[in-house]
Amino acid sequence: MNWKILVAGIAICTPLVWVLATGFGHDPHAIPTVTLGSKASDFDLVDLSGQRVHLADLRGRPVVINFWATWCRPCVAEHAELQAAARTYQGRAVFLGILYGDDPALAREYLARVGSVYPTLVDPAQHTVVDYGVAGVPETFFLDGQGVIVHKVSGAVGAAELTAVLAELVR
Amino acid sequence: MIPTLGRALLHLGLGAAAAGMIAGIFAGARRSEEAASWARTLTLASAGAFALATLLIEVALVRHDFSVAYVAEIGSASTPPLIAAVSLWSSLDGSMLFWAFILAVYAGIFALRSRGTEPARTGWALAVQLAVLLFFGLLVAGVSAPFDRVFPAPTDGPGPNPLLQNHALMAIHPPTLYLGYVGLAVPFAMAVAALATGRLDAAWTRSLRSWSLWVWAFLTLGILLGGWWSYEVLGWGGYWAWDPVENASLLPWLTFTAFLHSLIVAERRGRLAATSLVLVIISFLLTILGTFMTRSGVFNSVHSFTQSPIGPIFLGFLTLTLVGCVVLLAARVDALRIEIGPRPGSATLLSRDSAFLLTVLVLLAFAATVLLGTVYPLVNQAITGGQVSVGGPYYETMTIPLCAGLLGLMVLGPALPWRAATAAVTLRQLAPPLGVGLLVALWAWVEGLDRPWVLLTLALAAAILVVSGRELWQLVRARLAKGDPAWQAPFLGLAAAPRRTGAHIAHLGVVICAVAISFSSSFKHETELTLTPGASTVWQGYTLGFLRADKLVEPHRTSTRAHFAVFAGARDLGVLVPALNLYSRDARSIGTPAVLHRLAEDLYLSVVQVDAREVTVRAYLQPGVSWLWLGGLVAVLGSLVAALPPRRGAGRKEVSA
Amino acid sequence: MNALPTVVLWLVLGCAPLWAQDESSSQLPAPAPSTALLDVPPAGPPVTDPAIAAQRAGAIADGLRCPVCQGLSAAASQAESAVAMRTRAQELVARGYSDAQVYDYFVSRYGEWILLEPPRHGRHWLVWLGPMLLLFIGALVVAWRMTANTKAPRGLCDPRSGSDPYERAVLDELDRS
């Protein structure tokens, strides 16, 4: 029995198998979030009806920022939940939508059809998209009263999660 | 009916494989000819069962029999028959069955060809192949279960993945790759048999080499077709993305190429025989690792499937095989009697021995680099919890010097003599190729080419051409010296030494590929153009005129096509039609690029956006890509030539390299 | 002894990755903790020529990955986020930020993962130096095996050790062919 080969073989194979095993349970396609706990980037954008919105002016209340697009199916699906939450927390939290990779005319048409209780902002050069580290849509950011990002959801956000996070924030 | 029959065939195949494996182990342990004969028969039975099962599922796919689980998952009434047949390997369950089918067929062919050979070795080799077949067969019968019955049978299905319906290459890339990938099981089984019986002789080595050259040819062709598919179908303008699944196919190719070279040293100098067997075993282990990487859903890849129970099962199989191979090597390598080649002698640093040794080392380092890069995101996540990407730039930085080293070794190896080279001999052998290389590089530099790596590649390519040409010329000259007529001498000379000829042809292919890759990555041009119908623009010497956009409606997809008239100066080069395909299954469109293949460069158009008013298209100019495919085919041809037996009547038996 | 030149040769070649950089790629620095880049002043003067800004932005985008695609760079991808990243990079370059600062910004927004290769500092030494280390160890093993063979005598008689010079000459000739 050649002990050198045995030891060398086990020494090489064990870390390899261990590393591969640790991969289970992690989604390799998941987008990491590094901005949690840091100050959200400021923006000064115009919404679909021409009103100017400046994030720094909204200090003092929690803010929910939802990046969406009309061609994105999960965005359409989560629209109702966001509208309901916006109505529930009216006055206590600010909801904003930001259009991602879409034509403002299409967005206006869509919102005229389904309605919206909060404004959707247009980001012409999509700088805010990059500032928030948005990879795809939908993505929803939850900011506390001081403008710090406390929670982020990639993908459609459900009513339960919205309620849970907002209840925490408005306290 | 088909589900029941299919399941029955799978069970039959499994039963025959299990019985055959036991017979093979018996034949190996007791050297029993009768047991070996049983093992052969059972292997053939198993192969037949798996072949029939595969045929059955193809029938189900083409006839849209939705009572079969796999067809319900992946078929649809509107899928054309050819695409339906090809969709066998478009999803996990079917591709596992395909894996088992090819493995079984290879085992069957091995069984047929092993009549009359020594029973112990045949027994072990068959037992190993059947053990692997047993694993895959159990996966298919138990976990994947493509033959499950769906009741009530639906009337339609979602159809195969749209990306896999876009191009004819889907029909040939996976089977070719599988023929190489899965085929590695045969040399692996033969290496294990040699270790188990404790003997490696000339007959077994000849058989091993013959199988290996065929498997290598298929593997190379499979990887080549994969690159071509990425280029022609995916529309991102490249042919290799260093995707984990692409790396999974490259890893065994690298170690197997190292094996082919170490085998030459074993036969010629009596060294590296045990190393050769180790390399074969490593190559197959990398195949299993690669299959795990592709199917476990653990790696971030274009090809990846979602995580399922198959991942841990595969990891378990991989661990078992790894441990088994390590133990086998540790226990049997010292007792291995090597009966090929002379007794090992010493060699100096400057010799062909050294060059071959370095070749094996560099190829292994290349493989280790690719493996490390592919696995590193997992390592980082396991240690720190964070995510990191390892993409093209990393691999290019790490592998370009290694490739340059390999090209240099392709000059040194054939030029230097075995055992020891004196300074005088070295100078005489290396001066002409290096001189020519230097001249070529200088000429290119004067012509305006100033990229250092490209110049180095050109210089080494020219040097390799001189060295290989000289070697082949020696063979022809020997025939001329014997008095053969000039028009016959080349054929006779080369046919008398197919291994050497094939090796140099393969080197030639590799050189063409190296130059093509070097040019296509260094001198690529790209731009984005927006045109209205009737408008045209001039770019890089080409005039592109947007003629019109139209829609082609087919049962399974709607194509929005953009027609472009292409001119090079005044010369009409035809019409290119890139398109965006919308499949009934998905909401987003998949682009199909249009490529104009020319001798020196490719004009490549990929649609970004198209409607009746205007089209936005990405145009690429890629020099040398056609030469990449050509070079790859030449390398494959070289491998097949090397597998030919030497022409009888040549007098002596051919001595390798 | 023969091992030393081998070792030196491979040390030199092993350092290749460190000097084998494409001229257009930039050094990727260690990522700074999450600070908005826009609070930091630009390192250089604004770039007024849009062609130069576009070229620099393209080179930077070559080193960033598209967040939603597998394995594509932000320069090659058509996804909305990749396009947004390219535009943002060009805007920052035009304002005078250096390549290092722009990379730093993207890392603060997306994480280290947005870079197409791991940063060449800190705990990523394993993936950058690992292959070189393996090559070096491999070269040592090769050198050791080659010299070990000359030392260890073979049990049976070596025809080369025989006294017949003609036989030795024939064997030498065979080896040279």
Side-chain angles (χ1 to χ4, degrees), chain B residues 383-473:
Chain B
I383 297 180
T384 64
Q387 272 181 284
V388 78
S389 304
V390 179
Y394 167 82
Y395 292 107
E396 278 162 33
T397 310
M398 294 308 224
T399 60
I400 287 177
L402 291 173
C403 290
L406 283 173
L407 287 178
L409 286 167
M410 277 199 263
V411 176
L412 284 178
L416 294 175
W418 288 103
R419 203 175 73 83
T422 60
V425 165
T426 311
L427 205 61
R428 195 182 64 216
Q429 292 286 88
L430 288 182
L434 291 181
V436 169
L438 206 62
L439 281 172
V440 166
L442 262 162
W443 169 78
W445 186 59
V446 162
E447 288 288 311
L449 214 150
D450 59 353
R451 304 284 184 100
W453 284 113
V454 179
L455 286 172
L456 182 66
T457 311
L458 276 177
L460 289 172
I464 294 169
L465 286 178
V466 171
V467 168
S468 290
R470 194 171 55 192
E471 290 294 299
L472 295 180
W473 172 242

Side-chain angles (χ1 to χ4, degrees), chain B residues 80-104:
Chain B
L82 186 62
I83 295 182
V86 154
S87 64
L88 172 64
W89 46 82
S90 72
S91 177
L92 184 62
D93 300 343
S95 63
M96 286 282 94
L97 177 58
F98 194 54
W99 226 105
F101 161 64
I102 298 211
L103 192 58

Side-chain angles (χ1 to χ4, degrees), chain B residues 25 51 133 151 230 236 271 366 389 404 412 428 524 561 643:
Chain B
I25 294 175
L133 180 60
F151 191 79
S230 180
W236 60 283
R271 279 179 103 232
F366 199 138
S389 304
L412 284 178
R428 195 182 64 216
K524 186 160 131 169
R561 308 183 304 181

Side-chain angles (χ1 to χ4, degrees), chain B residues 13-32 34-40 42-43 119-120 122-132 134:
Chain B
L14 278 173
M21 183 179 80
I22 295 172
I25 294 175
F26 204 76
R30 300 294 181 89
R31 301 175 188 283
S32 156
E34 199 187 336
S37 174
W38 269 109
R40 273 196 285 269
L42 287 164
T43 307
T122 309
W124 284 122
L126 283 174
V128 169
Q129 289 178 66
L130 289 174
V132 180
L134 211 59

Side-chain angles (χ1 to χ4, degrees), chain B residues 236 268 271 300-302 343 346 349 357-358 365 369 372 376 384 387 389 391 393-394 397-398 401 418-419 618, chain C residues 6 10 16 65 70 72 75-76 78 113 115-118 123-124 127-128 131 135 142 149-150 157 172 175 177:
Chain B
W236 60 283
R268 196 68 173 74
R271 279 179 103 232
N300 188 346
S301 159
V302 164
R343 253 177 314 104
S346 63
L349 189 60
L357 229 67
L358 285 176
T369 309
L372 187 59
Y376 187 67
T384 64
Q387 272 181 284
S389 304
Y394 167 82
T397 310
M398 294 308 224
W418 288 103
R419 203 175 73 83
R618 263 218 156 165
Chain C
T6 324
W10 284 107
R65 69 172 289 177
Q70 291 2 303
L72 279 187
Q78 297 306 319
W113 151 97
L115 301 171
L116 258 182
E117 52 178 20
R123 66 179 178 280
H124 300 297
V127 78
W128 284 107
L135 197 61
V142 163
N149 271 324
T150 50
C157 70
D172 285 339
D175 276 335
S177 68

Side-chain angles (χ1 to χ4, degrees), chain B residues 150-177:
Chain B
V150 180
F151 191 79
T155 46
D156 202 350
N161 188 332
L163 204 60
L164 305 171
Q165 296 187 47
N166 247 2
H167 200 270
L169 269 173
M170 182 54 192
I172 41 174
H173 159 58
T176 315
L177 189 65

Side-chain angles (χ1 to χ4, degrees), chain B residues 602-623:
Chain B
D602 280 4
L603 177 65
Y604 187 107
L605 296 177
S606 181
V607 175
V608 176
Q609 201 194 348
V610 63
D611 55 39
R613 293 169 298 147
E614 66 176 16
V615 68
T616 306
V617 75
R618 263 218 156 165
Y620 299 84
L621 205 60
Q622 318 236 32

